[in-house]
Every structure is written in structure tokens, then in C-alpha cells.
Amino acid sequence: MTVAIVTLDGFNEVDTFVAATILGRVQRPNSGVVIASPTPTVTSMNGITVSAHISCDELPSADGVIVGSGRRTREFADDAAFLQRLLLDPRRQLVGAQCSGALLLARLGLLEGVPVCTDAATTPWLTEAGFDVVNRPFTATGNTATAGGCLASQYLASWMIARWWGVDLAREALRSVAPTGEEDDYVKRAMRHVLSTMTGAR
């Protein structure tokens, strides 16, 4: 399974790197995490430049996609040509959005009729557009998930791991990054959010 993290100019480092780190803890054959960007390199909101592994045009080849947020997300959400490059299909992919990344999923028509999580700055935009924004860090409906607050990216990553490889492996991945001495509480809290969206999971 390959997860592509959509990373745009002005991106929030936490969105990309935390999710990539947790997903990268899963050591399974033919699985991996890649950075997908519209240009060969992108620079974060704090001046960190990273190279893309794949172009946004290659997103259909990914099994999972996480759309990160950043200072220029609204600009990208208003770019019709860019949106045409985001060929996402929740019927066969797990698709998640972090904070203002939800704007892109909304513009693609992937959040109609479902609860949406996002950050405080993005909430007014989505609410005014008629979306049901909820005051929670994470929610998922079917194969589509949204998370609000930078550190909620851990929920997107653990949700994908739980969906593909099981809840136990998701717990292991979270435990591997948890603060020392707080592992049990950290994993329990995170998995409570993830499990609430997975019928029958424990």
C-alpha cells in the first residue's frame, strides 16, 4: 500500500512529517509513503524545502491520499486547473484531509453530506459553504476522513493503518512515537477517535 501526502507550497510541516513518520513505522512489503506535489520542490510555511517523490498527476496510483494544509491552501482551492489534477477516488482509495486540506476535498465534491473536521481558521469558509463542520479532531465516513488541528494528523495516519493492516498495528505505530511514560494514555486517546469511526473494531 502506498500513501501519497499532498504537499503544496506554504505547507504545514506537522501535517506532512508527522503522518509520514507514523505511516513509515509500518514495515510491510510493497508499502510506503511518498510526497506528492504539483512542482518538483515545495517550500513550507517556515522555509523548509522538500523534493516531491511523485507529481500530483500520479495520485490515482496511490492506495491512500492525505491532503495537507498550509498558508496557500485557499489559493490552490480556487485554482480550477490545479483541482483537475487531483483525481481522487474514495471508492478505491482511502482519502484524508488535514485542516485546510478539507477545502480541496470540498471543492472536489468529496465532503457532501458528511461531518467535517478542520482548523479554526478554515471553519468559517466551510460553514458558509454549507458543510457540516464538527468540533472534533477527527471523523471518517466510509473511505473519507478529515482531521482538525495540526497534531490530529496522527489520527489520519493511524486510521489508514487500522483500515489496511488492523487495529493492533495502528496501536503499535502510535506507541512507537508516543512520549516516554505516556504511551498507554497517548495510544488509548488516539485510538478512541479512530475506533469511533470503525464499526465492529476494537
Side-chain angles (χ1 to χ4, degrees):
M1 298 294 183
T2 298
V3 179
I5 301 180
V6 177
T7 305
L8 308 173
D9 259 329
F11 72 93
N12 183 317
E13 300 92 344
V14 178
D15 297 358
T16 294
F17 300 143
V18 169
T21 296
I22 294 173
L23 286 160
R25 298 299 173 102
V26 178
Q27 300 297 314
R28 290 292 185 274
N30 302 315
S31 67
V33 185
V34 296
I35 303 300
S37 302
T39 52
T41 63
V42 288
T43 301
S44 77
M45 59 196 301
N46 291 306
I48 298 173
T49 298
V50 298
S51 298
H53 297 109
I54 65 172
S55 164
C56 285
D57 300 313
E58 300 175 76
L59 289 173
S61 67
D63 302 289
V65 177
I66 293 176
V67 181
S69 71
R71 288 181 175 167
R72 297 182 59 195
T73 309
R74 287 199 292 270
E75 179 183 332
F76 283 101
D78 289 333
D79 185 338
F82 172 71
L83 291 175
Q84 289 178 353
R85 300 177 65 182
L86 299 183
L87 300 178
L88 308 182
D89 186 358
R91 293 171 298 179
R92 61 177 187 80
Q93 294 173 310
L94 295 183
V95 178
Q98 175 69 39
C99 293
S100 62
L103 288 172
L104 295 172
L105 295 194
R107 290 294 174 87
L108 293 172
L110 301 182
L111 300 180
E112 299 291 339
V114 301
V116 179
C117 293
T118 190
D119 61 286
T122 307
T123 293
W125 295 79
L126 289 172
T127 300
E128 290 170 10
F131 292 93
D132 178 20
V133 179
V134 294
N135 187 30
R136 298 202 300 269
F138 175 80
T139 188
T141 302
N143 288 343
T144 303
T146 52
C150 299
L151 292 176
S153 55
Q154 63 182 305
Y155 304 141
L156 285 172
S158 54
W159 171 72
M160 286 190 169
I161 295 170
R163 287 288 305 273
W164 281 326
W165 296 293
V167 171
D168 288 343
L169 193 56
R171 288 193 177 102
E172 289 178 19
L174 285 168
R175 181 172 287 274
S176 72
V177 300
T180 300
E182 298 180 358
E183 293 89 349
D184 290 344
D185 290 341
Y186 182 91
V187 173
K188 182 178 180 180
R189 181 179 64 252
M191 291 307 299
R192 182 176 70 246
H193 293 294
V194 172
L195 293 176
S196 68
T197 70
M198 298 173 57
T199 304
R202 294 187 177 183

